[in-house]
Amino acid sequence: MTGWLWLKDGFAIFRKQPFELSSLFVSYLFLMILIGIVPLLGQILPVILLPTFSLAFLQASKQVRAGEKVHPRILFAAFRSPALKRLLWLGVLQMAAALLAIGLSVLVDDGLFWKIMSGQIALDPKVVADSNMGFAMLVAALVYLPTTMAFWFAPPLIAWQDMGVGKAVFYSFFAVRREARAFAVYGVAWALVGILVPMLASLVLALLFNSANLIVMLMVPLSLLLTVVLYCSFYSSWFDVFGVPDPMPPALDIEA
């Protein structure tokens, strides 16, 4: 039940500083929206910068557990890390792996999933219903699964353990493989929480309020909250599998 404990610990971390952690996530979303406005780069940079920004949430969770206050400026902490270049290369590799996974789905649905993801065509429910897009998404997910394993712990291994990109990806993959049962429980737990909680909440709201717009307005904060808790639980999995060096090398300890 280790995976379930990671989920519970994510909620525990969030409860200690809910406003600060939510502010950090909203700042991240706002920044991604601004980046998304930039032509071409707006589609590439969010993926490349994902490992770099993920460290902000790991560091924030680390500080919460240590009883330290979290500030929004920690979002840019990794940009002051000596490991920044390696984190950016990690982002490039992650983007390449994602493109490969989606690209292979072309063999299943004649490129429909690819065209929708790349913005070439709009999402049409009728077209999707008459296609093999669901199976294509499953194929892409299965192809991308090893990448998820290889990149799960890679950012903190690079920044906090001073590993090279290749070594970090190698250690991350086999660490996740070693804890496969815990990650399976973790994935199922999050699927249940991420699907059942919003479903029950929307049902209750539908019974109380006969307004679709109001229900959407109330569901958005809930979705944001669950996403923040998800990010907090990432640190729990890291701490349980690798622990935290004590004392951590000052040059690698990203502080706000």
Side-chain angles (χ1 to χ4, degrees):
M1 298 298 288
T2 302
W4 173 250
L5 295 178
W6 295 344
L7 173 61
K8 288 181 61 179
D9 196 44
F11 277 98
I13 291 173
F14 177 77
R15 284 198 301 268
K16 290 182 179 179
Q17 294 190 40
F19 177 77
E20 291 80 358
L21 291 169
S22 297
S23 297
L24 181 66
F25 183 67
V26 170
S27 299
Y28 169 71
L29 288 181
F30 181 70
L31 182 60
M32 291 301 100
I33 291 173
L34 290 180
I35 293 176
I37 297 175
V38 182
L40 186 59
L41 287 177
Q43 295 178 308
I44 298 174
L45 281 180
V47 181
I48 294 177
L49 293 174
L50 186 60
T52 306
F53 282 120
S54 68
L55 275 170
F57 295 97
L58 289 169
Q59 180 66 25
S61 299
K62 171 177 175 286
Q63 291 185 193
V64 170
R65 289 188 61 159
E68 301 172 11
K69 201 73 171 178
V70 171
H71 301 281
R73 65 176 181 271
I74 199 177
L75 188 62
F76 302 99
F79 289 89
R80 300 193 297 271
S81 168
L84 176 60
K85 185 176 180 180
R86 282 170 283 160
L87 291 170
L88 293 177
W89 273 115
L90 186 68
V92 171
L93 291 176
Q94 190 166 2
M95 182 181 68
L99 291 175
L100 175 62
I102 299 175
L104 289 176
S105 70
V106 172
L107 302 174
V108 179
D109 66 349
D110 296 323
L112 179 62
F113 182 42
W114 172 272
K115 291 176 183 177
I116 292 176
M117 291 298 293
S118 60
Q120 297 179 42
I121 61 175
L123 179 62
D124 187 335
K126 187 177 184 304
V127 174
V128 171
D130 296 334
S131 70
N132 292 326
M133 182 173 158
F135 185 52
M137 293 173 65
L138 178 61
V139 169
L142 290 175
V143 172
Y144 193 71
L145 180 60
T147 301
T148 302
M149 296 168 64
F151 285 78
W152 188 269
F153 292 121
L157 286 173
I158 289 173
W160 291 348
Q161 301 289 340
D162 199 24
M163 288 187 183
V165 174
K167 186 177 180 180
V169 167
F170 176 85
Y171 271 74
S172 176
F173 178 85
F174 284 99
V176 174
R177 181 181 176 184
R178 187 181 67 242
E179 301 292 337
R181 184 175 298 180
F183 275 99
V185 173
Y186 178 70
V188 171
W190 264 115
L192 292 175
V193 171
I195 295 174
L196 290 182
V197 171
M199 186 182 298
L200 291 174
S202 60
L203 179 61
V204 171
L205 291 173
L207 293 174
L208 295 176
F209 309 102
N210 189 23
S211 172
N213 292 332
L214 181 60
I215 292 174
V216 171
M217 288 178 58
L218 294 175
M219 287 300 294
V220 168
L222 176 61
S223 299
L224 291 176
L225 182 150
L226 289 176
T227 305
V228 177
V229 173
L230 175 64
Y231 275 99
C232 292
S233 69
F234 290 169
Y235 179 78
S236 302
S237 66
W238 157 263
F239 185 85
D240 190 57
V241 175
F242 287 98
V244 178
D246 189 17
M248 187 177 293
L252 303 175
D253 189 12
I254 304 172
E255 299 294 349

